[in-house]
Amino acid sequence: MNSLNPMKVRCLQIFILLTFILSAFQASANVKPVVIGYVGGYRGLVDAENIDVKKLTHINYAFVNVLKNRAVLSNEATDTINFKNLNALKPKNPSLKILISLGGWSWSENFSDAVLTDTSRRAFAASAVEIIKKYGLDGVDIDWKYPARPGEKGNIYRPEDKQNYTLMFESIRNELDLLEEQTGKKYLLTTAVGGFTSFVDNTEMGKAAKYLDFVNLMTYDYSGGKIAGHHTNLYASSKYPTENFADKAVKAYVLAGVPINKLVLGIAFYSHTYDLAENHRRGIGGKVAKRAAGHNFSFIKDSLINQNGYRYYRDRAAKSPYLYSSNKLQFLSYDDEWSVRKKCEYVKKNKLAGVMFWEYYSDQKGYLLNEITKVLGRNSN
């Protein structure tokens, strides 16, 4: 039998690749974007009855602690009640999925130890899956801030985190597969990741993505340096040098090997607020004197936008709004309906999995969730 010439082989490879891409595109065309809301159970009892559950596809319950190489409910008394009340929402939205989110900013210090060895990883994975089994939940979300680099002061981190991060997901996925065999139910594994390239550099996201259903990009908290900038911008600003923005993060994760239809774009329901050292035109790009208390979006919309000395502006290059009070020398960066609409349109155009937001009760009146629903609709699968 004569072998195919190199040109024919190459054409065949291209044909197979294009066929795969087309079939993947067609398969995703009928899937509505996910809308994932993080709900902060760490504060105590959750007001579950006032969650507009029909506008969500997933609730990520934050947070479960990591102690002595195990997933632990540090607030078990209230967590137990919260799980019961959140599960009680499912008759209103039978497709709703409820996941536990492990770690977060304050409870990530022990991840590195918990996943350091095969033995510890298996024990950690089993403990996390045992929680969702016990309380009838739907999956596990990992919010490790951060593998192989500092997060909160005092966090343990080591170079081996880069590989162990991937192995952690493999272990959890194995435990979830075992549970699926027992129950016949599908369980989800997701992660919240930094919306900046250094997170990609310190992980193996292409390998890790094989075990993950969604990769939730925390495309917020970008500001915090010496100048007043956006904290949740979609694109780079033309008004000041911009190191991080959502579109840059999406491209970095895709380049690292994460399928774009697993990426979930982050939306902030809260502001970053800064007192400036001096008056600087509209505030943006000005020198920061200190960080001030942030605000939830419901309060911003009802009490600050073009009120009480604050003036509303839009950075149309960055697709990001901001407020500035020249009297108070105070600058606020946040998401509003306009920027949320731009993000949702970006998700649809680029075929991302959907959006997620932190945190549900930071917009009690539902202004931003209503806008998400207008653009993306609700996943009823």
Side-chain angles (χ1 to χ4, degrees), residues 232-357:
T232 182
N233 43 313
L234 183 56
Y235 296 108
S237 175
S238 60
K239 301 181 184 300
Y240 68 96
T242 312
E243 179 180 0
N244 294 306
F245 48 94
D247 178 62
K248 179 180 178 180
V250 169
K251 291 174 179 175
Y253 279 86
V254 171
L255 185 62
V258 180
I260 198 165
N261 63 358
K262 287 189 176 185
L263 291 177
V264 178
L265 197 67
I267 293 171
F269 277 22
Y270 61 96
S271 77
H272 276 202
T273 307
Y274 299 97
D275 293 334
L276 302 191
E278 57 189 10
N279 195 15
H280 183 81
R281 299 190 302 276
R282 297 178 176 181
I284 193 167
K287 184 179 179 181
V288 170
K290 65 177 181 178
R291 181 86 173 259
H295 300 288
N296 67 71
F297 181 72
S298 292
F299 177 80
I300 292 170
K301 181 176 176 67
D302 292 346
S303 303
L304 297 183
I305 295 177
N306 292 328
Q307 302 175 67
N308 296 310
Y310 292 92
R311 186 171 177 181
Y312 175 80
Y313 298 97
R314 286 178 177 175
D315 183 338
R316 296 188 181 277
K319 300 294 184 284
S320 190
Y322 59 99
L323 298 180
Y324 182 57
S325 169
S326 57
N327 294 328
K328 299 178 182 178
L329 299 183
Q330 194 165 79
F331 174 88
L332 280 78
S333 170
Y334 58 98
D335 268 323
D336 69 353
E337 292 98 333
W338 171 69
S339 65
V340 164
R341 183 166 66 254
K342 295 299 182 183
K343 286 184 174 180
C344 291
E345 290 170 350
Y346 178 96
V347 164
K348 293 175 68 175
K349 178 182 178 181
N350 293 285
K351 307 298 181 184
L352 274 70
V355 300
M356 65 88 168
F357 57 87

Side-chain angles (χ1 to χ4, degrees), residues 182-197:
Q182 298 172 21
T183 65
K185 173 182 172 181
K186 167 67 178 175
Y187 295 95
L188 299 171
L189 178 57
T190 71
T191 187
V193 297
F196 41 83
T197 55

Side-chain angles (χ1 to χ4, degrees), residues 130-170:
E130 180 59 29
I131 292 173
I132 67 168
K133 177 182 178 181
K134 181 176 180 179
Y135 294 102
L137 306 176
D138 302 294
V140 175
D141 176 68
I142 298 294
D143 186 4
W144 180 353
K145 295 185 175 73
Y146 299 101
R149 65 187 301 270
E152 187 179 38
K153 185 177 180 180
N155 281 9
I156 300 168
Y157 64 97
R158 44 175 68 90
E160 302 96 300
D161 293 344
K162 182 171 186 174
Q163 290 74 35
N164 292 339
Y165 185 68
T166 305
L167 295 171
M168 170 188 66
F169 290 123
E170 181 182 24

Side-chain angles (χ1 to χ4, degrees), residues 49 68-69 160 282:
E49 290 185 1
K68 298 180 179 179
N69 298 349
E160 302 96 300
R282 297 178 176 181

Side-chain angles (χ1 to χ4, degrees), residues 62-80:
F63 287 106
V64 172
N65 203 349
V66 181
L67 291 172
K68 298 180 179 179
N69 298 349
R70 302 291 189 275
V72 175
L73 298 178
S74 292
N75 305 310
E76 188 170 7
T78 53
D79 289 335
T80 302

Side-chain angles (χ1 to χ4, degrees), residues 84-128:
K84 177 182 177 181
N85 291 340
L86 290 174
N87 270 327
L89 297 173
K90 288 186 175 181
K92 298 179 182 178
N93 179 3
S95 64
L96 178 71
K97 306 300 180 185
I98 301 170
L99 292 77
I100 54 170
S101 185
L102 282 69
W105 183 254
S106 297
W107 284 350
S108 287
E109 64 265 30
N110 298 315
F111 269 117
S112 185
D113 285 347
V115 302
L116 186 57
T117 68
D118 289 340
T119 301
S120 65
R121 280 191 296 272
R122 286 195 296 267
F124 170 68
S127 66

Side-chain angles (χ1 to χ4, degrees), residues 16-62:
I16 293 171
L17 177 61
L18 290 175
T19 302
F20 173 79
I21 293 173
L22 179 61
S23 62
F25 178 83
Q26 291 173 335
S28 64
N30 297 322
V31 178
K32 293 182 180 178
V34 299
V35 179
I36 302 171
Y38 279 83
V39 171
Y42 60 90
R43 298 190 185 97
L45 290 177
V46 167
D47 184 13
E49 290 185 1
N50 287 318
I51 294 178
D52 199 346
V53 70
K54 292 184 178 180
K55 295 176 180 175
L56 300 173
T57 61
H58 302 71
I59 291 175
N60 285 2
Y61 181 84

